[in-house]
Amino acid sequence: MSPRQLSSTAANTPPIYLDNQSTTRIDPRVLEAMLPYFTEEYGNPHSSSHAYGRIAAAAIEQARGDIAALIHADPRAIVFTSGATEANNLAIKGAAHFARAYPQGEGARDHVIALQTEHKCVLESCKELEREGFQITYLPVEPSGLVSLAALEAAISARTLLVSVMSAHNEIGVIQPLAEIGALCRFHRVLFHSDAAQAFGKIPLDVEAMKLDLLSVSGHKIYGPKGIGALYVRRRPRVRLLPLIDGGGQERGLRSGTLPTPLCVGLGRAAAIAGDEMAEEAERLRRLRDGLLRNLARRLPGLRINGNTERRLTGSLNLTLPGIPAQALIEACPAIAISTGSACTSASVEPSYVLRALGLSDELANASIRVGLGRFTTAAEVEFAADALAAAASGLTGRGGTPT
Amino acid sequence: MHTGRETYLDWNATAPLRPEAAAAVSEALASWGNPSSVHRRGRVARRIIERAREEIAELLGGVDPRGVVFVSGGTEANNLALLGTDRERVLISAVEHDSVRQVLPTAETIPVDRDGVVALDALDRLLAADPRPALVSVMFANNETGVIQPVGEIASLARRCGALFHCDAVQAAGRLALDAGAIGADFISLSGHKLGGPPGVGALVVTGDLDLASLVRGGGQERGRRAGTENLPGIAGFAAAAREAVADIAAYDRVRALRAELEAEIAVAAPEAVIYGTDVLRLPNTSTITMPGVAAETQVIALDLDGVRVSAGAACSSGKVGPSHVLAAMGVEPALAASTIRVSLGWSTSEADIAHFLDAWIALRRRHRGFSERARAA
């Protein structure tokens, strides 16, 4: 099990991978850091009385520190989870359940605000709370995909407990004005949670400057392992949650279960690398993306970009090719791995609820593809992909499509 | 006195990764797609997961693979079983793992006898006393003592009263040949890292056609029972470890013989030592031993200095050293319980490991007794 073996296994000409929002290839440097903890250093990190356990525990604390450093947080505020989905569930349901169990002050805080365009796991957590009697506002977004701060402020009431806004979007890549939202939330004494699965390691995040109370991160979106994520839980002023998973009381009682040392180490290393290379990587992806866009726009005149074109992740694009069904386009390009949207829902034939929230018709939403460039994407791959997409799109148009 | 030799006898805390599991993890890391993606990378990842589901079904003697719900580990599996059913009453044994004990404050406790075995008559009375539909949760084998519960009989009692039965088989899986039919449970919890798979993965196996409310919600993975992008390498490694455990189950006959040797030597060398559960069915690998008068922490640290890794009980209490609820439930005096360590063996434990442990343990006892005698003389 070595990085070398890994690359040779993957050498059977896989399709060009432009679906980096869905998951990313593990960075060989991350893998190298993890391997010893799979094999030699296998102690249970909670077995503090023997050396094997202590070695594992020290590695986990180093990882916790690397994750914390990337968001300017106290390492003790980092709670490891099995991924961003669990982190989002823990943040939203944990804060709501705590507020219900231990009401503070005069009025009940039983209202949660989330954008209509949040990831499914945020929306599903909210729906669960709704069934339990909480009030949820699913806030519409601007056609750009950005939140309207005025609409957000208008939605906040004395009963509002928490606002959940995704840092950077998994389908359309837009980056929300986190510092402004944080200031608004702090002013109204409302908890601010952000799902940063796509943003962590790709854009600067600062839990102090942005006044974030809860922040969810993921390993496998930043060239780290699957099966690991984390939730930042503010300590000052202290944010209280009820755990989703109880037991041995690990992670300060917020998340029980034996910590998976190699996965924690992998997330820590992935975070450290992302921090070191963020600016350079974002710039490289911007150039690749601009090249791809220019190339496609020249050959596909009706091409539209979904979501704000300035405030976005540099590697992420969501494109509508009017008149060209996305599913047919993807099938016509077997050499490229792209998707119509979130992987969690990509098997469904429903048009993206995110694009509909931006005001796209079903027809246009169904003519949209998501392109995600990543750390291992090369200029040659992007060029090939542009050619393949343009050729396939022209072919589909030629077969009777009516481009607008 | 430390010879540089390392002896790991804390297998109930975690086991080393089996080589087959390491290979499967490595291979799955290379197929790094998102199993929910419809493109080829996604489909390859999906196939790995569905094959793994079949391997886990085989670990339990061949259940319906569709009942296997992959989760992040044994703790989550136990939480999901207790919280995912909507039973108004939950009955748990007094010796359950914290991941069962800490979940529902309203859970009622089924007592155990002095060997740590669930009192069936007490369970019967508890079930009869309240007509509300119940969930009974009793582990297959205890993590601290290895004592095995009469799960088949518990299942019959539960069924007769219309109760569901959840069995935490985290410590038993891979060490005994298991058969879901004979266990008779509606839900069975499994952990990857206890049987030589990677940490961070486990499963709750639903043996019948039962609904389960998801603890973690989102993209609808695992047939709506557990959201989140699947831990692909973890799942692949877990399945490979399970397959290897089934194939190599005979290794535990050898482990059982090693434990018998260990316990016989202790009995000869230290007549005052107490070993628990020796009169009832136990896992072949676990030995729970009291050295009266020497604090468990002192023993564990002294053995650690000699290169022998054991523990004072469950590892998950994360540093907190408290009295063992398992030994307390068995009626063990607090002073004895506080001087008890857990020695747990695994498939690669050797004669030399046992000899190393015995040398260190006996030397520790001798040092301590010498000290006590000198103290008394002075």
Side-chain angles (χ1 to χ4, degrees), chain A residues 1 6 9 12-15 17 19 22-26 31 38-39 42-44 46-52 54 82 85-86 89 93 120-121 124-125 128 131 220 226-227 244-250 255-258 260-263 337-338 343-344 346-347, chain B residues 6 8 10 13-17 22 25-26 29-30 32-41 72 75-76 79 83 98-99 102-103 193 198-200 214-219 221 226-233 297 300-301 304 309-310 315-320:
Chain A
M1 201 156 73
L6 200 71
T9 322
N12 54 347
T13 59
Y17 190 74
D19 194 16
S22 160
T23 191
T24 56
R25 183 180 136 196
I26 197 159
L31 187 60
F38 271 122
T39 51
Y42 56 82
N44 185 319
H46 315 295
S47 302
S48 51
S49 51
H50 60 65
Y52 283 32
R54 286 191 299 269
S82 66
T85 288
E86 186 189 329
N89 274 254
K93 298 192 292 198
K120 268 262 187 278
C121 59
E124 288 295 321
S125 295
E128 187 179 346
R131 285 190 292 273
H220 76 103
K226 293 183 176 63
L244 278 185
I245 297 173
D246 246 314
Q250 291 92 344
R255 210 299 190 166
S256 289
T258 300
T261 310
L263 304 185
I338 55 171
C344 302
S346 63
Chain B
E6 293 272 340
Y8 187 76
D10 198 11
T14 194
L17 193 67
V25 168
S26 170
L29 282 167
W32 41 269
N34 184 325
S36 295
S37 296
V38 289
H39 51 65
R40 191 173 109 193
R41 280 225 172 268
S72 67
T75 290
E76 187 183 337
N79 274 251
L83 298 170
D98 273 352
S99 56
Q102 303 295 339
V103 175
H193 73 104
S214 181
L215 270 186
V216 178
R217 291 171 192 266
Q221 290 92 343
R226 208 300 187 171
T229 298
E230 296 88 340
N231 175 0
L232 183 72
E297 278 302 292
V300 168
I301 291 164
D304 189 43
R309 320 303 178 200
V310 300
C316 37
S317 314
S318 348
K320 349 180 250 263

Side-chain angles (χ1 to χ4, degrees), chain A residues 84-99:
Chain A
T85 288
E86 186 189 329
N88 285 334
N89 274 254
L90 174 58
I92 294 167
K93 298 192 292 198
H97 291 158
F98 186 90

Side-chain angles (χ1 to χ4, degrees), chain B residues 94-186:
Chain B
V95 295
E96 293 305 302
H97 188 266
D98 273 352
S99 56
V100 167
R101 285 172 78 225
Q102 303 295 339
V103 175
L104 286 167
T106 54
E108 298 164 61
T109 305
I110 316 161
V112 296
D113 65 18
R114 54 183 295 281
D115 289 313
V117 178
V118 159
L120 291 171
D121 52 340
L123 171 60
D124 201 16
R125 277 197 302 278
L126 276 167
L127 283 168
D130 188 333
R132 287 177 301 162
L135 169 73
V136 174
S137 180
V138 177
M139 66 207 321
F140 194 105
N142 186 264
N143 52 309
E144 291 187 33
T145 62
V147 168
I148 292 173
Q149 301 294 346
V151 287
E153 291 169 64
I154 292 166
S156 317
L157 282 179
R159 184 147 308 124
R160 216 168 56 216
C161 297
L164 293 174
F165 175 35
H166 164 245
C167 184
D168 169 0
V170 160
Q171 293 290 349
R175 294 175 180 154
L176 298 169
L178 295 183
D179 174 52
I183 298 171
D186 300 287

Side-chain angles (χ1 to χ4, degrees), chain B residues 174-246:
Chain B
R175 294 175 180 154
L176 298 169
L178 295 183
D179 174 52
I183 298 171
D186 300 287
F187 307 102
I188 299 173
S189 298
L190 301 170
S191 159
H193 73 104
K194 305 279 188 191
L195 53 77
V201 64
L204 182 67
V205 180
V206 185
T207 61
D209 189 20
L210 288 164
D211 278 344
L212 200 59
S214 181
L215 270 186
V216 178
R217 291 171 192 266
Q221 290 92 343
E222 297 298 283
R223 303 162 77 85
R225 294 173 295 194
R226 208 300 187 171
T229 298
E230 296 88 340
N231 175 0
L232 183 72
I235 289 170
F238 178 21
R243 184 176 58 229
E244 194 53 27
V246 168

